[in-house]
């Protein structure tokens, strides 16, 4: 049975990467729900739109202070999604290459040899990892869970035992780093999927997704269900003027944007 998927979008419009991601999941037959706190102008009709307040009511969107990124809020939301629904979380910069029909209650995978990512996530409601993640809120103050040993002690001394507000924690501290730390703590990391299933290309090599003539769907083996193109990094490259400032047509991502356009999403 194909997994029912869901995500959160903060913003008035979806970009080409997000629309390419949506098209890939729908083409594979996975139903997709997009939650938002306000209407999305160009959400495809085939996607189910829901009010994000049903899952996580919020007076404001939590952002990382340094990056001003709503990624912090999306982490709180995805953990609430795990508690309150039976849906599988997906980031809208995952491109599906096969249908998502994962068995069992746990879906998460390694993005590098020592870290699990949460761009695709499913945890059972009784997971101790989920319980720990759910204690992270916009009011949390302390030390990020992945910081251990002497470094952790130095943080406590430097902050006079008060810790640091969560919005000032290092990037990823409430996402992949926290997930990995808690999965290890509770022994649930044994269920993590190998890198080739969801993250066969390292984040540092994400330019390959927009390099003309480099990757295609056929570049990946039968184990690969999807790839994580890391939209934030791709958009940074394009903003610097690389590849002429737009996604090259003859690239992996360009081909998937073209599919979204053919489906009437762009």
């Amino acid at each position: 049975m194909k997994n029912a998927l869901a995500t959160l979008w903060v913003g008035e419009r979806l970009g080409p990467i997000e629309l390419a991601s949506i098209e890939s999941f729908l083409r594979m037959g996975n139903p997709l729900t997009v939650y938002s706190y306000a209407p999305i102008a160009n959400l495809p009709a085939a996607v189910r739109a829901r009010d994000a307040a049903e899952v996580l009511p919020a007076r404001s969107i939590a952002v990382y202070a340094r990056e001003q990124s709503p990624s912090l809020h999306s982490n709180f939301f995805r953990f609430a999604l795990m508690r309150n629904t039976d849906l599988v979380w997906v980031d809208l910069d995952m491109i599906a290459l096969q249908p998502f029909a994962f068995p069992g209650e746990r879906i998460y995978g390694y993005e590098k040899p020592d870290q699990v990512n949460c761009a695709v996530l499913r945890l059972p409601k009784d997971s101790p990892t989920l319980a720990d993640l759910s204690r992270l809120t916009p009011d949390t103050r302390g030390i990020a869970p992945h910081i251990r040993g002497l470094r952790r002690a130095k943080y406590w001394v430097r902050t006079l035992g008060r810790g640091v507000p969560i919005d000032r924690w290092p990037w990823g501290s409430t996402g992949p780093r926290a997930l990995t730390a808690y999965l290890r703590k509770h022994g649930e990391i044994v269920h993590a999927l190998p890198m080739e299933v969801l993250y066969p290309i390292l984040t540092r090599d994400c330019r390959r997704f927009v390099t003309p003539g480099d990757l295609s769907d056929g570049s990946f083996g039968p184990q690969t269900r999807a790839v994580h193109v890391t939209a934030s990094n791709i958009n940074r490259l394009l903003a610097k003027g690389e590849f002429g400032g737009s996604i090259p047509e003859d690239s992996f991502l360009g081909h998937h944007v073209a599919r979204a356009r053919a489906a009437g999403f762009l």
Side-chain angles (χ1 to χ4, degrees):
M1 183 176 178
K2 294 178 182 177
N3 300 118
L5 313 177
T7 194
L8 171 72
W9 184 250
V10 177
E12 296 179 357
R13 297 184 65 83
L14 296 156
I17 294 176
E18 292 77 38
L19 292 168
S21 174
I22 289 171
E23 189 279 333
S24 73
F25 285 119
L26 296 180
R27 179 163 38 86
M28 294 300 164
N30 288 99
L32 176 66
T33 299
V34 175
Y35 289 89
S36 64
Y37 290 99
I40 303 170
N42 61 339
L43 187 69
V47 174
R48 187 184 187 194
R50 295 296 294 265
D51 182 358
E54 296 174 9
V55 173
L56 183 66
R59 293 187 302 273
S60 61
I61 302 297
V63 299
Y64 281 113
R66 180 178 177 182
E67 294 85 4
Q68 287 299 296
S69 167
S71 172
L72 179 59
H73 190 89
S74 75
N75 288 329
F76 299 146
F77 186 92
R78 84 185 74 199
F79 307 147
L81 190 78
M82 300 297 97
R83 296 192 302 270
N84 299 320
T85 78
D86 294 318
L87 299 168
V88 176
W89 169 276
V90 289
D91 279 6
L92 288 186
D93 55 1
M94 296 294 303
I95 301 292
L97 302 180
Q98 296 187 52
F100 274 28
F102 293 99
E105 295 183 288
R106 290 177 171 84
I107 308 171
Y108 41 83
Y110 281 101
E111 66 168 345
K112 51 187 179 181
D114 62 345
Q115 185 165 289
V116 172
N117 202 316
C118 52
V120 176
L121 183 64
R122 182 72 204 134
L123 287 164
K125 291 178 174 59
D126 62 354
S127 160
T129 293
L130 179 59
D132 277 347
L133 291 169
S134 297
R135 294 187 184 98
L136 302 177
T137 73
D139 298 322
T140 295
R141 187 181 184 111
I143 309 301
H146 73 281
I147 297 176
R148 311 303 301 169
L150 182 59
R151 186 179 171 212
R152 189 175 188 85
K154 287 180 177 178
Y155 263 97
W156 282 119
V157 170
R158 192 183 310 157
T159 62
L160 302 177
R162 298 179 64 235
V164 179
I166 198 167
D167 66 346
R168 289 171 48 203
W169 286 9
W171 178 258
S173 293
T174 60
R177 290 175 172 179
L179 175 63
T180 303
Y182 291 140
L183 288 173
R184 284 203 180 103
K185 172 184 173 183
H186 297 294
E188 293 181 275
I189 202 160
V190 298
H191 301 287
L193 298 164
M195 288 173 57
E196 57 264 33
V197 178
L198 297 169
Y199 309 100
I201 301 293
L202 294 172
T203 299
R204 70 186 182 207
D205 297 324
C206 69
R207 68 169 52 246
R208 296 188 64 190
F209 290 117
V210 285
T211 299
D214 187 346
L215 297 173
S216 69
D217 290 12
S219 300
F220 304 97
Q223 276 196 289
T224 301
R225 303 288 186 90
V227 295
H228 189 208
V229 302
T230 55
S232 58
N233 289 343
I234 296 295
N235 287 330
R236 262 194 296 274
L237 292 175
L238 300 180
K240 291 177 182 177
E242 296 198 40
F243 304 104
S246 61
I247 298 169
E249 293 182 4
D250 189 20
S251 67
F252 174 89
L253 195 48
H255 291 151
H256 281 276
V257 170
R259 283 175 167 167
R261 184 173 293 108
F265 295 175
L266 283 161

